[in-house]
């Protein structure tokens, strides 16, 4: 039935009257409930959504398939030239422990590739190469592609035996890996950071791809040159020491470990010595473990040998370790010999470590074969790098089944 304009107004009036009566009735009901001791229902404020993690932040607990014992929180970034970098990293040594910062900015600062004949001599980071877009085949069955486009792989790996105890048996460890690939013309550099369940951080660069055209079988070096801003329990109060094994110590059968300030406690350089098992130690005296030992990290080199290059502008390649104070804008490894001239104090300071991890590539048949003047094949990955290993960060053996 179609309503006339008059009928419509009549029904509208009835509807308005009904609405007024309904509101009055609800008001009376609320008053009666109040008199009877009932609280009138109150409107609930809308729930705020849980804060989301930054898109470049990863939190990884260990073990990945059981109750959390330790954890890492990492913020990463990508940059043209440098590839994958770490912005910050924090470690949690137990479920009830607070996050403790370990790293600020960490990156592969340069990749220096000098050829044996004296030329060419490439500074591959300075050419601003981009990252390779990766796929599921590269990530493998357990890897996760991240980024848009996907240029980083995130994966948790079994890292083998952590320890073997006669009473409690074997404990296997895990690590979170973040890696990407720098598209450096004929070469591909795999830049990889590993965050282990025991607090260790691994830094690796792998060289693969094809040998340089016209120098396919000429020996050369791949000098991975790293810049590491160590912020142990924060950026301040970090001190750098050199740890060395000395043998013999007076008597032929005796030995000792010497810990001394890096370069007498000011900016400068030091070198790695095979017989001394040279390591760097970064300590924060303001934070101690249950044994009253100051927390620290050791930089442990993984070396084929020591690279020494003497061309013009290659001063940075004549020493294995450099340490500077963290200053804005000082990011270029080839200039580190200029940065240290300020000779600022590096004890109880905000410090940056600079370390060269060299890889010698002497070409072999496995790199490929020549066909009509062109090398066909691919050079297997050759790795170099170092570890940052905790010292006195824990009170006792991590992940050990101590009785409560």
């Amino acid at each position: 039935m179609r309503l006339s304009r008059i009928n419509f107004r009549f029904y509208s009036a009835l509807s308005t009257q009904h609405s007024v009566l309904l509101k009055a009735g609800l008001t009376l009901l609320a008053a009666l409930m109040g008199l009877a001791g009932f609280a009138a229902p109150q409107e609930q404020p809308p729930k705020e959504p849980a804060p989301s993690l930054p898109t470049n932040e990863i939190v990884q607990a260990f073990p990945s398939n059981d109750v959390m014992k330790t954890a890492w929180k990492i913020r990463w970034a990508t940059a043209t030239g440098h590839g994958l970098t770490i912005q910050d990293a924090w470690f949690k040594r137990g479920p009830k422990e607070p996050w403790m910062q370990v790293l600020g900015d960490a990156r592969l600062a340069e990749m220096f590739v000098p050829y044996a004949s004296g030329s060419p001599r490439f500074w591959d980071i300075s050419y601003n190469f981009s990252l390779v877009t990766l796929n599921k085949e590269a990530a493998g069955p357990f890897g996760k592609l991240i980024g848009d486009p996907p240029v980083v792989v995130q994966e948790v790996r079994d890292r083998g035996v952590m320890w073997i105890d006669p009473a409690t048996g074997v404990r296997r460890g895990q690590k979170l890996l973040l890696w990407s690939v720098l598209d450096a013309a004929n070469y591909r550099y795999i830049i990889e950071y590993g965050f282990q369940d025991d607090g260790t951080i691994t830094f690796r660069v792998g060289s693969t791809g094809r040998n340089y055209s016209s120098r396919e079988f000429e020996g050369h070096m791949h000098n991975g040159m790293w810049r590491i801003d160590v912020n142990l329990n924060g950026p301040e109060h970090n001190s750098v020491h050199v740890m060395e094994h000395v043998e013999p110590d007076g008597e032929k059968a005796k030995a000792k470990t010497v810990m001394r300030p890096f370069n007498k406690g000011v900016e400068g350089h030091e070198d790695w010595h095979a017989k001394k098992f040279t390591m760097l130690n970064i300590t924060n005296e303001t934070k101690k473990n249950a044994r009253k030992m100051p927390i620290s990290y050791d930089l442990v080199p993984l070396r084929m040998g020591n690279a020494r290059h003497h061309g013009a502008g290659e001063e940075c390649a004549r020493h294995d370790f450099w340490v500077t104070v963290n200053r804005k804008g000082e990011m270029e490894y080839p200039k580190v010999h200029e940065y240290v001239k300020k000779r600022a104090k590096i004890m109880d300071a905000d410090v940056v470590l600079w370390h060269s991890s060299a890889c010698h590539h002497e070409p072999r048949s496995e790199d490929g074969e020549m066909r009509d003047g062109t090398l066909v094949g691919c050079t297997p990955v050759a790795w170099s790098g170092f570890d940052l290993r905790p010292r006195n960060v824990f009170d006792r053996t991590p992940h050990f089944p101590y009785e409560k």
Side-chain angles (χ1 to χ4, degrees):
M1 179 179 68
R2 296 180 63 185
L3 296 176
S4 67
R5 291 178 184 271
I6 296 174
N7 287 337
F8 178 76
R9 288 175 184 168
F10 173 73
Y11 284 117
S12 295
L14 284 178
S15 177
T16 303
Q17 256 187 330
H18 181 270
S19 178
V20 170
L21 290 171
L22 180 61
K23 286 180 180 178
L26 289 173
T27 303
L28 178 61
L29 178 62
L32 290 172
M33 290 177 67
L35 289 171
F38 292 100
Q42 298 182 3
E43 291 186 11
Q44 296 295 321
K47 289 186 178 180
E48 295 184 5
S52 58
L53 294 178
T55 56
N56 68 330
E57 183 174 294
I58 297 169
V59 176
Q60 179 63 56
F62 295 107
S64 61
N65 58 347
D66 204 345
V67 177
M68 187 271 276
K69 297 183 184 298
T70 59
W72 278 101
K73 178 168 66 175
I74 304 112
R75 290 180 181 167
W76 59 273
T78 58
T80 301
H82 292 281
L84 177 63
T85 69
I86 301 300
Q87 291 183 324
D88 297 283
W90 297 264
F91 183 62
K92 184 187 282 284
R93 66 176 192 168
K96 298 180 181 179
E97 296 286 341
W99 288 107
M100 179 189 73
Q101 188 172 15
V102 180
L103 291 180
D105 181 277
R107 63 182 61 205
L108 182 65
E110 192 52 82
M111 177 60 84
F112 179 43
V113 189
Y115 280 71
S117 62
S119 177
R121 305 176 84 76
F122 296 123
W123 298 88
D124 278 336
I125 297 297
S126 69
Y127 305 141
N128 288 324
F129 291 119
S130 59
L131 286 171
V132 174
T133 298
L134 302 170
N135 55 27
K136 291 182 179 180
E137 184 179 4
F142 306 111
K144 175 185 176 182
L145 294 166
I146 53 179
D148 185 17
V151 293
V152 178
V153 173
Q154 169 190 343
E155 56 182 309
V156 175
R157 290 185 189 173
D158 180 298
R159 64 181 183 87
V161 174
M162 182 189 296
W163 45 255
I164 301 175
D165 177 62
T168 60
V170 179
R171 176 80 189 192
R172 297 185 69 87
Q174 291 182 305
K175 61 181 174 182
L176 167 70
L177 282 183
L178 295 176
W179 60 272
S180 65
V181 182
L182 197 64
D183 186 358
N186 57 298
Y187 262 97
R188 299 293 180 271
Y189 294 123
I190 306 170
I191 302 169
E192 180 188 281
Y193 305 91
F195 298 87
Q196 296 186 177
D197 50 3
D198 65 352
T200 298
I201 309 174
T202 63
F203 297 76
R204 302 286 187 272
V205 57
S207 304
T208 182
R210 290 188 179 178
N211 294 350
Y212 185 60
S213 178
S214 78
R215 305 296 175 86
E216 292 88 352
F217 293 99
E218 181 177 325
H220 53 280
M221 302 287 292
H222 292 280
N223 294 283
M225 296 173 162
W226 300 85
R227 180 188 185 277
I228 315 103
D229 177 16
V230 177
N231 288 345
L232 186 54
N233 200 42
E236 308 298 334
H237 307 301
N238 287 188
S239 301
V240 187
H241 298 83
V242 177
M243 189 187 305
E244 296 175 317
H245 171 82
V246 177
E247 188 174 0
D249 178 29
E251 298 179 22
K252 289 184 178 180
K254 290 187 176 181
K256 65 180 179 180
T257 297
V258 174
M259 182 91 79
R260 58 178 175 80
F262 185 99
N263 193 45
K264 299 181 180 180
V266 297
E267 294 177 310
H269 61 77
E270 295 266 3
D271 292 322
W272 182 82
H273 299 282
K275 291 183 179 180
K276 294 183 178 181
F277 297 83
T278 312
M279 297 188 293
L280 301 190
N281 174 267
I282 307 90
T283 301
N284 187 324
E285 292 282 353
T286 67
K287 185 174 178 62
K288 299 182 180 181
N289 67 6
R291 296 173 58 202
K292 308 301 181 185
M293 304 291 288
I295 64 168
S296 68
Y297 264 76
D298 297 333
L299 189 156
V300 185
L302 305 174
R303 305 184 75 77
M304 295 176 68
N306 288 356
R308 295 291 182 266
H309 305 298
H310 301 278
E314 297 171 7
E315 291 87 350
C316 69
R318 294 170 197 167
H319 298 286
D320 306 311
F321 307 105
W322 306 78
V323 177
T324 65
V325 169
N326 187 21
R327 286 182 287 261
K328 186 177 180 180
E330 293 188 353
M331 305 296 290
E332 299 180 47
Y333 204 107
K335 295 181 179 180
V336 68
H337 67 286
E338 296 289 343
Y339 301 156
V340 300
K341 288 181 179 179
K342 301 177 180 68
R343 294 186 63 79
K345 181 173 71 77
I346 58 169
M347 309 300 284
D348 196 33
D350 182 5
V351 298
V352 175
L353 312 181
W354 307 73
H355 177 50
S356 173
S357 60
C359 175
H360 178 230
H361 182 190
E362 190 60 38
R364 52 194 175 130
S365 298
E366 287 78 359
D367 292 347
E369 65 177 1
M370 299 299 294
R371 292 183 181 178
D372 299 323
T374 301
L375 183 66
V376 178
C378 191
T379 301
V381 181
W383 294 95
S384 66
F386 63 96
D387 291 346
L388 278 180
R389 185 177 64 189
R391 175 179 294 277
N392 303 321
V393 168
F394 289 90
D395 300 327
R396 52 190 186 176
T397 307
H399 296 265
F400 191 86
Y402 290 99
E403 293 183 5
K404 294 182 180 180

